[in-house]
Amino acid sequence: MSKIEAVFERLQAQGRKALIPFITAGDPDPVLTVPLLHSLVLAGADIIELGVPFSDPMADGPTIQRASERALAKGVSLRKVLEMVANFRADDNDTPIVLMGYANPIESMGVEAFAAASFDAGVDGVLVVDYPPEEAIDFAQTLHRHALDPIFLLAPTSSEARMAQVGALASGYIYYVSLKGVTGSAALDVAAVAARIPEIRARTGVPVGVGFGIRDAATAAAVAEHADAVVVGSRIIEELEHSSPDEACSKVRALVAEMRQAIDAATNPSRGMP
Amino acid sequence: MAVDVYDLPDAAGHFGQYGGVFVAETLIGALDELKEAYASAQRDPQFVAEFDHELRHYVGRPSPIYHARRWSELLGGAQIHLKREDLNHTGAHKINNCIGQALLARRMHKGRVIAETGAGQHGVATATVAARYGMECVVYMGADDIQRQMANVYRMKLLGATVVPVNSGSRTLKDALNEAMRDWVAQVSDTFYIIGTVAGPHPYPMMVRDFQSVIGRESIAQMLEQCGRQPDVVIACVGGGSNAMGIFHPYIPVPGVRLIGVEAAGAGIATGHHAASLTAGRPGVLHGNRTYLLQDENGQITETHSISAGLDYPGVGPEHAWLKDSGRAEYVSIDDADALKAFHDLCRLEGIIPALESSHALAYASKLAPTLPKDKILLVNLSGRGDKDMHTVADKSGIKL
């Protein structure tokens, strides 16, 4: 069983839902990334998505675009992201890390070399935004061979046939994009999301995380009532943009802890109480 | 190398290892819808007839082939013939594709079209067809390109389009393409994205090629009529590669015809300031397809340079990548200085002001012609006229307009 699968199994036994925060590696500064990862864990993150910066983040809104640009300006490459994960692993061997990014830096390194280096660094899963399942059959197999979970996106426009196609390749969890648009767009429609989740779960056989458009604790809690996991990205990046380097960790920790508490209160009221 | 049966791309949009559909899941539904609509339009005689009618009566096709006699004589070798896409309405080949995609948009009941543009030529062509068919039009353009191409920005506005400056990344064409994709994914139900070149996710590279192939089909008929045979070499400039694909594609199965694509070497390949992805790049994934890309050692896309904004793109259509690897087409590069010389030569010797993009193809022809006997024929795709380049050329000559 992979570390990601173990997390979902444990949470399910506890009647809880996963909180998956996202930050871009190297933003706002490479020296802050490992401390930020630990802060996210302390705030109650179950899994962390770590963005690999790319020059052309086609599926991202302005907030994550800016994070990517800041990280690239500080010289962050895929190799450096893997070093950060290895450094994080020196003090945390439990919290799964999912790399999220675009295909080209990975293809530039070579898929086989990337998978081997990711396993060595302690990565648990990989989500390549511009690898839909039809272009990722070999890639998913390579990841599985290196004990990495391939995470795939599904969208409101995905047909039942595509859900099955993704289900055949995916492990770990499915990332359900809750709205039409890019990351960080306007708030999502909880009822519409709730209506799709049981079907996705049934057709893919893996837990379903929901992201894009979750901007506050209340929405996180509302989504958690239906999904297996809640992914929060742009809102955290915004918090970083409004923090000095000294307060970045504590501010992000407070924000994520608030979401954690709201999710736990909504899904298992006895745990949400202080 | 001759290719007997050529039926690429395959059903999944692949040209060998190139092409494909490398987009986020959020765009798959829209691309599937487009694929189906295009397949049904291709089989519909009424759609084909309307496309032909618009090309004839609105664009002014067929564009002539002109024998550049004086220039050929001066060069002292092969005869250079020019396919005059510069004489099309809006002054370049771009309009062929825009007509096709706008008709498709109308067929799909999409009342809003969006486009990306670098130099502004594709933006102007899109704004033109949007006005012609009564559609709302939004053009994404890098903030830096807007500063460099004020006249085209004004043209688009005159035609009723909204021009949106893009401030992300390098603030040029590739970033405008990213932004147009983001718009499309958010407003996919009422919006048609008119991509301007033979790149992007399937079916765009195939569809744009098909609409532009009118250039090569006309050429085959005209060469036979005017010269009694096909040219020995067909030459076209390559940025994204739509004018080159348009003239190459019908010639792919024709034996004995060399196909040469000319990329922008900018300040020189060795300087790193160029836009020659096939000459100096390596395969990767960008903007929805796998192809040759200019990228650094970490797989980040690098900024490009060319005197001609229309060639200033770090990728290239995936079919060109396949044609290069298969050996059916050859790809060379021409620097800014040689392109400028060809620009001036054609002005002075033939009374034709070519676009700086097309001047790269002309420059290569002027180097190749003297090495060949006088009975050989070179056909150069003169993809656009140079009126838009007046400021750039004057600037290079130290003249203030």
Side-chain angles (χ1 to χ4, degrees):
Chain A
M1 187 190 300
S2 79
K3 239 186 311 189
I4 296 174
E5 286 166 343
V7 164
F8 280 104
E9 196 155 290
R10 173 173 54 78
L11 289 172
Q12 200 186 5
Q14 297 170 342
R16 299 173 71 220
K17 299 301 176 71
L19 172 57
I20 309 181
F22 167 98
I23 58 170
T24 298
D27 172 53
D29 193 286
V31 300
L32 280 175
T33 300
V34 173
L36 276 170
L37 292 173
H38 289 304
S39 299
L40 292 171
V41 175
L42 289 170
D46 299 297
I47 296 167
I48 297 171
E49 287 185 353
L50 186 59
V52 179
F54 181 49
S55 51
D56 293 82
M58 221 166 70
D60 284 300
T63 305
I64 294 179
Q65 288 174 44
R66 287 195 300 271
S68 223
E69 285 178 19
R70 283 191 294 268
L72 289 174
K74 303 238 171 184
V76 175
S77 61
L78 178 52
R79 280 179 202 287
K80 289 192 176 156
V81 175
L82 292 172
E83 283 170 25
M84 292 173 191
V85 176
N87 289 338
F88 171 72
R89 280 281 170 256
D91 296 306
D92 186 327
N93 208 22
D94 299 322
T95 313
I97 297 280
V98 172
L99 295 185
M100 183 168 180
Y102 293 80
N104 203 55
I106 293 172
E107 295 205 354
S108 175
M109 183 184 279
V111 167
E112 188 66 37
F114 163 76
S118 294
F119 175 79
D120 290 344
V123 171
D124 298 285
V126 180
L127 196 175
V128 181
V129 176
D130 48 355
Y131 269 169
E134 54 267 55
E135 300 288 0
I137 294 167
D138 292 347
F139 181 70
Q141 284 169 354
T142 304
L143 291 188
H144 278 137
R145 241 189 0 262
H146 290 272
L148 299 164
D149 284 319
I151 314 294
F152 284 92
L153 299 171
L154 280 174
T157 47
S158 303
S159 62
E160 290 175 8
R162 285 195 74 77
M163 291 179 192
Q165 196 180 357
V166 163
L169 299 177
S171 59
Y173 60 95
I174 297 291
Y175 188 138
Y176 180 61
V177 177
S178 53
L179 45 77
K180 289 179 184 167
V182 292
T183 53
S185 305
L188 60 85
D189 177 349
V190 176
V193 169
R196 292 301 295 274
I197 290 174
E199 192 186 5
I200 297 172
R201 213 182 269 135
R203 293 198 180 270
T204 60
V206 283
V208 181
V210 172
F212 282 41
I214 296 175
R215 305 199 49 81
D216 53 40
T219 315
V223 169
E225 287 187 51
H226 307 282
D228 301 300
V230 175
V231 186
V232 183
S234 295
R235 179 65 189 86
I236 296 174
I237 308 282
E238 283 167 19
E239 196 69 12
L240 284 172
E241 288 184 327
H242 298 125
S243 309
S244 68
D246 292 344
E247 58 185 12
C249 286
S250 60
K251 282 191 121 175
V252 162
R253 187 176 165 182
L255 173 73
V256 174
E258 189 195 341
M259 292 184 169
R260 169 87 268 169
Q261 212 170 14
I263 290 170
D264 286 347
T267 55
N268 188 346
S270 64
R271 283 182 180 272
M273 293 300 182
Chain B
M1 170 196 160
V3 178
D4 296 330
V5 181
Y6 185 83
D7 57 357
L8 294 178
D10 64 18
H14 292 121
F15 302 88
Q17 65 159 313
Y18 302 108
V21 186
F22 292 89
V23 296
E25 182 68 21
T26 40
L27 273 177
I28 294 287
L31 289 167
D32 283 346
E33 186 193 6
L34 177 61
K35 247 186 314 196
E36 276 170 36
Y38 178 56
S40 111
Q42 273 182 303
R43 288 190 303 264
D44 178 355
Q46 216 177 324
F47 179 87
V48 176
E50 187 171 12
F51 179 57
D52 290 345
H53 179 274
E54 293 292 278
L55 290 183
R56 175 175 289 271
H57 298 282
Y58 189 65
V59 176
R61 305 203 68 92
S63 66
I65 285 181
Y66 167 75
H67 183 187
R69 255 196 201 93
R70 288 192 67 212
W71 197 35
S72 302
E73 259 167 45
L74 198 91
L75 291 166
Q79 301 305 304
I80 299 175
H81 293 249
L82 306 174
K83 177 64 172 166
R84 299 290 308 275
E85 290 298 298
D86 60 316
L87 295 176
N88 292 340
H89 178 42
T90 72
H93 71 290
K94 291 287 185 192
I95 190 85
N96 303 326
N97 166 53
C98 287
I99 297 268
Q101 291 199 48
L103 290 176
L104 196 55
R106 203 178 59 182
R107 192 182 164 93
M108 293 169 76
H109 307 291
K110 310 264 186 189
R112 179 175 179 266
V113 295
I114 59 171
E116 83 294 337
T117 196
Q121 290 307 101
H122 174 59
V124 168
T126 303
T128 299
V129 298
R132 163 80 182 84
Y133 300 116
M135 293 163 167
E136 184 191 346
C137 178
V138 176
V139 178
Y140 289 92
M141 189 166 183
D144 288 0
D145 287 338
I146 287 182
Q147 288 310 314
R148 289 189 287 204
Q149 305 286 341
M150 289 309 287
N152 269 344
V153 173
Y154 185 57
R155 273 186 198 110
M156 288 184 263
K157 288 180 178 168
L158 281 177
L159 292 159
T162 305
V163 180
V164 180
V166 176
N167 282 298
S168 56
S170 59
R171 299 148 61 94
T172 57
L173 175 59
K174 76 177 178 71
D175 311 285
L177 211 151
N178 292 333
E179 207 53 39
M181 283 278 183
R182 292 178 188 123
D183 175 312
W184 196 32
V185 73
Q187 304 198 52
V188 80
S189 53
D190 72 335
T191 298
F192 189 105
Y193 180 12
I194 300 187
I195 293 186
T197 192
V198 285
H202 179 63
Y204 281 102
M206 171 182 80
M207 183 171 71
V208 176
R209 172 201 75 193
D210 291 349
F211 289 139
Q212 291 293 3
S213 291
V214 64
I215 304 170
R217 284 196 308 273
E218 283 176 6
S219 297
I220 285 178
Q222 289 165 317
M223 288 306 296
L224 195 64
E225 194 184 305
Q226 290 174 223
C227 300
R229 69 180 184 90
Q230 296 307 324
D232 299 285
V233 188
V234 175
I235 303 172
C237 65
V238 176
S242 69
N243 90 81
M245 245 6 275
I247 197 163
F248 285 179
H249 186 252
Y251 275 110
I252 290 173
V254 180
V257 179
R258 279 175 72 191
L259 306 176
I260 301 180
V262 186
E263 296 192 296
I269 299 289
T271 67
H273 298 287
H274 60 81
S277 9
L278 290 164
T279 307
R282 59 196 169 90
V285 171
L286 179 71
H287 292 152
N289 62 118
R290 182 177 283 128
T291 186
Y292 281 83
L293 300 174
L294 293 172
Q295 51 182 316
D296 69 14
E297 69 279 10
N298 295 311
Q300 305 295 343
I301 307 307
T302 50
E303 289 182 26
T304 52
H305 167 82
S306 168
I307 191 170
S308 76
L311 302 183
D312 219 344
Y313 179 65
V316 62
E319 195 163 8
H320 285 296
W322 187 88
L323 287 172
K324 173 190 161 81
D325 285 11
S326 71
R328 178 61 188 94
E330 306 154 57
Y331 294 88
V332 298
S333 63
I334 285 289
D335 66 19
D336 289 351
D338 283 347
L340 262 177
K341 181 177 184 306
F343 173 94
H344 287 295
D345 287 349
L346 205 71
C347 290
R348 294 289 183 86
L349 292 163
E350 299 288 353
I352 296 172
I353 301 177
L356 283 173
E357 290 78 9
S358 324
S359 297
H360 288 72
L362 294 167
Y364 189 75
S366 74
K367 288 177 188 293
L368 184 62
T371 70
L372 298 172
K374 290 189 172 180
D375 61 347
K376 294 285 180 187
I377 299 175
L378 310 184
L379 176 63
V380 179
N381 196 13
L382 183 50
S383 54
R385 67 177 183 227
D387 304 50
K388 68 183 176 61
D389 296 314
M390 292 298 97
H391 277 94
T392 308
V393 175
D395 216 43
K396 285 278 163 192
S397 319
I399 296 163
K400 195 122 187 85
L401 292 184

